Amino acid sequence: DADYTDDGFKSKVGFNLGLNIEYSIFKSLSIKSGIYITTKGAKYEYETSDTHRYSYHTEVEKCKYDGTLNEYYIQIPVLGSYKYYIKDNFNVEVNVGPYVAYGIAGKSNGKVDGVDKTSSVGNGADMSNSYKYNTFGKDNGQEMLKRFDCGLIIGAGVTYNKYYFGLQYDLGMTNLLPSPYSSVYSGKNRNLGLNIGYNF
């Protein structure tokens, strides 16, 4: 039996870089889209417990993992944007709509500390080691993360003259974990971003 004692996932800092286009339907209503290179991922720290049962005793093997999950995507949003004009050169806007993304790269790494108590060597064999893998690749034939992601973007910002400042939240709706883990656990992207732009 194997049990996770804590998912331990925490946020990490990344970047979002791209070009945006906007089509005005009315003065206050428009559609935005574009193409971006964006980073996502997480820092994690958790423990697992594996129980080994024998006819004469039971032993528990505990391992602690910590590392960083790095994901690089090409992302395309399609957003509806409503603008409230305070002045001709100054407006506040709200943006809502879906996005699709495809994982293009990512190197993840971490370390594990633990002891295999089933070993006959002393009090157990040291299992501590470091590891690296391609985020969207395979490790010993096992797929790591799925490349395709989609979800919903909710954001707001202000435009002054040609400069834009805003916040947006990406709510991922795709379970990125591969089979068979996806039937038991769920891993979805959550991303809070600060956007700074210039309108040509």
Side-chain angles (χ1 to χ4, degrees):
D1 299 327
D3 296 315
Y4 286 81
T5 57
D6 183 14
D7 58 13
F9 283 86
K10 301 177 181 179
S11 61
K12 64 181 289 291
V13 176
F15 68 86
N16 184 38
L17 179 65
L19 295 173
N20 189 67
I21 59 174
E22 184 172 357
Y23 176 76
S24 295
I25 301 174
F26 304 107
K27 181 179 180 180
S28 298
L29 185 64
S30 61
I31 296 175
K32 289 184 175 183
S33 187
I35 185 166
Y36 297 86
I37 295 177
T38 182
T39 60
K40 301 183 182 183
K43 293 181 179 180
Y44 59 87
E45 182 176 331
Y46 64 90
E47 294 183 355
T48 62
S49 296
D50 293 310
T51 303
H52 306 276
R53 294 183 174 88
Y54 302 92
S55 58
Y56 54 93
H57 74 295
T58 299
E59 293 178 340
V60 177
E61 169 197 315
K62 290 187 176 181
C63 294
K64 180 179 179 180
Y65 297 81
D66 64 86
T68 303
L69 180 66
N70 298 303
E71 308 163 43
Y72 293 82
Y73 290 91
I74 291 178
Q75 181 164 305
I76 299 175
V78 180
L79 308 177
S81 179
Y82 175 79
K83 297 180 175 64
Y84 177 77
Y85 284 86
I86 299 173
K87 295 181 179 180
D88 286 342
N89 65 339
F90 182 40
N91 69 71
V92 179
E93 64 183 71
V94 176
N95 306 305
V96 179
Y99 76 84
V100 293
Y102 186 79
I104 56 173
K107 294 287 186 179
S108 297
N109 58 80
K111 63 179 181 178
V112 55
D113 294 312
V115 174
D116 182 359
K117 293 184 178 180
T118 64
S119 173
S120 60
V121 181
N123 293 323
D126 185 4
M127 294 177 57
S128 301
N129 63 78
S130 298
Y131 54 88
K132 294 181 180 180
Y133 60 89
N134 293 322
T135 306
F136 300 106
K138 291 186 177 182
D139 183 36
N140 294 324
Q142 172 63 55
E143 181 185 13
M144 304 310 290
L145 289 187
K146 297 176 183 177
R147 290 183 181 270
F148 179 77
D149 184 28
C150 68
L152 180 68
I153 292 177
I154 302 171
V158 297
T159 298
Y160 180 72
N161 289 329
K162 291 183 176 294
Y163 296 95
Y164 174 78
F165 304 90
L167 287 173
Q168 76 174 42
Y169 185 71
D170 297 9
L171 179 66
M173 297 181 179
T174 302
N175 188 353
L176 301 175
L177 298 181
S179 178
Y181 305 108
S182 57
S183 61
V184 180
Y185 304 105
S186 179
K188 299 178 181 179
N189 279 320
R190 300 287 188 267
N191 199 43
L192 178 64
L194 170 65
N195 294 327
I196 300 175
Y198 182 82
N199 298 316
F200 292 97

